[in-house]
Amino acid sequence: MDTSILSSLGEREFSNGDFYSGEVKGLLPHGKGKYSWSDGTVYDGDWDQGKISGKGKLLWSSGAKYEGDFSGGYLHGIGTMTSTDESVYSGAWRMNVRHGLGRKEYCNSDLYDGSWKEGSQEGRGSYSWTNGNRYIGNWKKGRMCGRGVMRWANGDLFDGFWLNGSRHGSGVYKFADGSLYFGTWSRGLKDGKGIFYPAGSKHPSLKKWCRSLEYDDTGKFVLSRSSSSMDVDELRSLSNVTRSLSTKTSASGTSGRMSDLRDFTSKSARSLGSAGQSEGQDKNRIAYEREYMQGVLIKESVITSSFDRSLKMRPPSTLTKQVSARTFLTFLTGEHNYHLMLNLQLGIRYTVGKITPVPRRDVRGSDFGKKARTVMFFPRDGSNFTPPHKSIDFSWKDYCPMVFRNLREMFKLDAAEYMMSICGDDGLTEICSPGKSGSIFYLSHDDRFVIKTLKQSELKVLLKMLPRYYKHVGDHENTLITKFFGVHRITLKWGKKVRFVVMGNMFCTELKIHRRYDLKGSSHGRFTEKIKIQEKTTLKDLDLAYEFHMDKLLREALFKQIYLDCAFLESLQIIDYSLLLGLHFRAPGQLNDILEPPNAISDQESVSSVDFGVTQELSIPPKGLLLVTHEPNSVSTAPGPHIRGSTLRAFSVGEQEVDLILPGTARLRVQLGVNMPAQAHHKLDEDKEESATIELFEVYDVVVYMGIIDILQEYNTKKKVEHKCKSLQYDPMTISVTEPTIYSKRFVNFLHKVFPEEM
């Protein structure tokens, strides 16, 4: 401040035209005072050593005004801001931005009341539109995100998960007439399996169903030992399929409104009646199991509800079996499991932090040996080398740290991102094992990494093969074999040893994975009981009802790498590996008229008054997938946890490197095992009994994700004995365990049938 002009005690006029009147301390405003800027802005309130601090009123020349707390010259504390557009915010402030609990009434009379963070709605909050719609739930960066309830003015209600303003994840939609749909959504569209209960039919208690679910912040179901949980598959398991539905859907059949589901249901009910159903059948017991792809209905089955008043909510029997089936590390439940996850995060943070500053060098033979490991004790109270923590005392062993440091760099993985993904505040999520090994699996909060417990025998195989694995992945950047990022061991204070391997998640993608398959090429026992199949169940060889047709060059690149990877595993005498296959289905293009419009809110500052009940005219392009010439600036080229190889070339685009366009969704870089387009042809088995579920289409556009997993089983003496014994009972070519050469050949031959060559 220029204090060259001093008119009187407590009043000062400055050379730039500003004026102050009030208490001073020395030459600075201090206490009560009023300051007028030359542009017309006026502040009247408390001062502290020349800075606005305390309570006061600030009126800008534009007409905006604020009354409340200040600190150090900032709007900081509790106050009310009236903007020039007449919107009013009352609540908490931090450093001039809305932060904390607050209430804002917009100029169009919309109202938000809840939590704010750095100027945007974030946390729990309620938003009311002038048209009568209201949302109560979680927000992130100004958009509905997480668990929330939307009630429309017409009486419809959705209780479930949201992402960026659209329904995304699990939820239940209740229509004004009382009908219900339990299912999953993706970007505002139904995507996956669900059950529809017509108005008046018996259904699970909506309140109990919502309360019994345990969710994480992405809408996934999380198994909790303290609460029962029920999902769509559990609802299905409590019902009986009555007969197949002979309903055909045409492109001009219905509109895109959610209410049209009820019209479709009534038509289905009429068809049942005409097919000879008893006229005295209790209509209140009919429900419909459905499967959608991007808002398009592709399957429907009629089921009869078996709920009665005496039935209580209970945990799914399938989940109970999955937990009780674990024989390895069954003690890792409750607090022990929590401590284990915390210990794992502490150890990895220590490992990465210690090895990263070391100058990079080529690996040597000694980096693979028995002495190539570091050990550190982590006492609860901390030490000169370790921080204090809230877990129990444990010892940490890191195997071959220099090798895995180089592997992470070879896979173009940033050390800081790796550490934050696994060791961040969001923690790890335990997921159920799809196999029989009894291993425990953890998933990082961003889905990039899978952490799996290892048996001692598996650890020995991994360390034994590590030198050759290091060379193989270095020579073949397109390898489909699992990426390993680190191997560690935790010794708990009572002497129990738990071994871990950190791997890349092959299904880390923004697209929904509709089907998962574990393919070995064998047939004995390679099917899944229907009663055990849930939406995220990993299916087996005999469950695969599709064959996949690819572009000529994409298929050639795929099998070239499969041959190389299988030869590598065969040379190591490895068996029991499998191809993990994930499928993202695209909605059939001929059903553009029954696509549901996504509900989204995009304006972060003022959530627009969107009428979610309004039908929008949307259409699906005639082809769900489109290959175009690769443009590095148009797609993400950052390496992912399972992505490292080069961009693939396609014959259909003049043998150019290609990107995959999913109209209305994304543009993706095509790499081996990642974002690979194909057509899935449904195989019809005439020998099978009539299915209770109708498959409405025979050909789908799909995006394929794949990789070779479970590569840590040697063909040792135990496996040789197992092969001999099973060969006496079953056809040796049908059983999984066999010698490596035969296993590799059978595996490749089976994949040739899965991905047939175009004739």
Side-chain angles (χ1 to χ4, degrees), residues 447-702:
D447 291 347
R448 298 183 68 192
F449 303 101
V450 175
I451 302 172
K452 175 188 175 183
T453 56
L454 294 177
K455 299 176 183 177
Q456 187 175 11
S457 59
E458 293 175 319
L459 175 63
K460 289 181 178 178
V461 172
L462 176 54
L463 295 178
K464 178 182 176 181
M465 72 156 56
L466 190 56
R468 294 186 61 183
Y469 172 87
Y470 184 90
K471 185 178 186 306
H472 181 78
V473 298
D475 293 341
H476 306 287
E477 64 172 0
N478 288 329
T479 181
L480 293 170
I481 290 178
T482 308
K483 286 183 179 180
F484 294 130
F485 298 113
V487 179
H488 318 285
R489 190 187 77 184
I490 291 174
T491 305
L492 302 174
K493 63 180 181 180
W494 53 82
K496 187 66 179 181
K497 297 176 181 178
V498 188
R499 303 159 188 89
F500 295 93
V501 61
V502 183
M503 305 177 290
N505 179 13
M506 295 181 183
F507 297 155
C508 179
T509 170
E510 59 187 279
L511 303 180
K512 179 183 178 70
I513 301 297
H514 295 100
R515 296 282 191 281
R516 297 165 170 81
Y517 294 92
D518 183 274
L519 307 177
K520 292 180 180 291
S522 57
S523 58
H524 177 69
R526 297 295 295 168
F527 66 93
T528 308
E529 295 179 27
K530 289 187 177 181
I531 194 173
K532 295 182 179 180
I533 297 177
Q534 300 183 19
E535 185 174 4
K536 294 187 177 181
T537 300
T538 301
L539 304 174
K540 300 178 183 178
D541 302 62
L542 298 181
D543 302 316
L544 185 62
Y546 303 95
E547 58 182 28
F548 305 96
H549 296 260
M550 285 186 171
D551 178 276
K552 177 182 177 182
L553 289 184
L554 296 184
R555 184 183 181 278
E556 287 179 1
L558 173 63
F559 277 97
K560 177 182 178 182
Q561 191 59 52
I562 288 176
Y563 282 123
L564 290 170
D565 289 339
C566 288
F568 165 71
L569 295 174
E570 181 184 334
S571 68
L572 293 170
Q573 295 293 289
I574 299 295
I575 61 169
D576 241 12
Y577 50 87
S578 56
L579 185 80
L580 185 62
L581 180 68
L583 305 176
H584 169 78
F585 287 82
R586 300 303 293 173
Q590 62 268 35
L591 294 185
N592 59 322
D593 288 330
I594 62 174
L595 175 65
E596 288 186 54
N599 299 338
I601 291 179
S602 58
D603 185 0
Q604 294 186 15
E605 173 60 23
S606 173
V607 183
S608 57
S609 181
V610 177
D611 186 351
F612 288 95
V614 175
T615 301
Q616 302 177 24
E617 292 296 329
L618 294 181
S619 64
I620 305 176
K623 187 169 179 62
L625 304 175
L626 181 63
L627 283 175
V628 297
T629 304
H630 174 59
E631 294 182 6
N633 295 330
S634 301
V635 295
S636 173
T637 56
H642 183 56
I643 303 171
R644 186 171 69 97
S646 57
T647 304
L648 296 185
R649 299 176 182 272
F651 181 79
S652 59
V653 192
E655 302 188 8
Q656 300 290 319
E657 292 184 343
V658 291
D659 295 335
L660 175 63
I661 291 182
L662 283 65
T665 304
R667 178 170 180 151
L668 306 169
R669 182 185 179 198
V670 179
Q671 296 171 275
L672 201 65
V674 180
N675 303 326
M676 296 185 71
Q679 275 199 334
H681 292 244
H682 189 256
K683 297 185 294 185
L684 300 177
D685 191 344
E686 298 179 355
D687 297 332
K688 279 192 174 183
E689 299 179 0
E690 183 183 3
S691 173
T693 300
I694 290 298
E695 182 90 28
L696 297 181
F697 310 99
E698 295 184 4
V699 180
Y700 298 93
D701 286 322
V702 295

Side-chain angles (χ1 to χ4, degrees), residues 46-118:
D46 296 332
W47 293 79
D48 182 22
Q49 298 291 333
K51 294 184 178 181
I52 300 175
S53 291
K55 294 188 177 296
K57 299 178 182 179
L58 183 60
L59 177 64
W60 284 270
S61 57
S62 62
K65 59 182 178 181
Y66 171 84
E67 182 174 357
D69 296 333
F70 294 83
S71 179
Y74 294 96
L75 281 61
H76 194 89
I78 305 298
T80 300
M81 165 77 80
T82 303
S83 303
T84 54
D85 62 359
E86 299 302 323
S87 61
V88 179
Y89 170 81
S90 298
W93 294 79
R94 187 178 75 174
M95 304 288 285
N96 287 348
V97 296
R98 295 179 289 271
H99 191 91
L101 295 178
R103 174 188 177 95
K104 182 170 182 177
E105 183 175 353
Y106 295 88
C107 57
N108 62 358
S109 297
D110 287 358
L111 179 67
Y112 174 79
D113 191 353
S115 178
W116 298 73
K117 183 178 180 181
E118 297 178 357

Side-chain angles (χ1 to χ4, degrees), residues 98 222 257:
R98 295 179 289 271
V222 178
R257 299 171 55 194

